[in-house]
Amino acid sequence: MKINKLIYSILFILVFSLIAVNLYAEDDDRINLNSATVEDLVKIPGIDKELAERIVETREENGEFVDIDELLDIEGIDAKLLRQLKKYIKVEELDGCNC
């Protein structure tokens, strides 16, 4: 009986570790909105060149993005598109917070 508990505990830890590693790896693949170029952004499903240019222009005019939800202020991005984009983008500060 103790061996079964030990085996289940080890399996639980192994599965949890694999899930954690997978989540971390996915985050590394996302594009940082604060360093992305137009060329980077057009590779994302749902973003065409015009929208990518608006995103970069907004960042240049207002400074770094602090939160992904700021994209909702850009013409052409609604809540549905934003939910899709969250799989591909992230916001990380470059030079310090501009909050």
Side-chain angles (χ1 to χ4, degrees):
M1 193 65 148
K2 285 185 179 183
I3 293 177
N4 285 342
K5 286 184 180 181
L6 179 62
I7 291 172
Y8 287 127
S9 297
I10 291 171
L11 287 174
F12 176 77
I13 292 169
L14 179 62
V15 169
F16 181 76
S17 298
L18 290 173
I19 291 170
V21 167
N22 189 32
L23 289 174
Y24 180 76
E26 287 178 11
D27 185 52
D28 287 345
D29 293 340
R30 293 187 291 169
I31 295 173
N32 184 3
L33 281 176
N34 290 323
S35 60
T37 63
V38 170
E39 292 77 19
D40 294 330
L41 293 171
V42 296
K43 295 175 185 174
I44 298 172
I47 298 182
D48 60 14
K49 185 176 181 190
E50 186 177 303
L51 184 55
E53 289 171 347
R54 282 198 298 271
I55 292 170
V56 171
E57 181 179 307
T58 298
R59 183 183 68 217
E60 289 172 352
E61 290 176 359
N62 301 320
E64 291 183 3
F65 291 99
V66 178
D67 188 90
I68 290 176
D69 291 338
E70 291 177 70
L71 291 176
L72 291 171
D73 296 332
I74 298 174
E75 182 184 337
I77 299 180
D78 58 12
K80 181 180 178 182
L81 178 57
L82 181 61
R83 280 192 302 275
Q84 295 171 357
L85 296 179
K86 286 182 179 182
K87 298 176 208 171
Y88 304 100
I89 59 176
K90 62 184 174 183
V91 172
E92 290 182 351
E93 63 184 68
L94 298 179
D95 298 325
C97 185
N98 65 347
C99 327

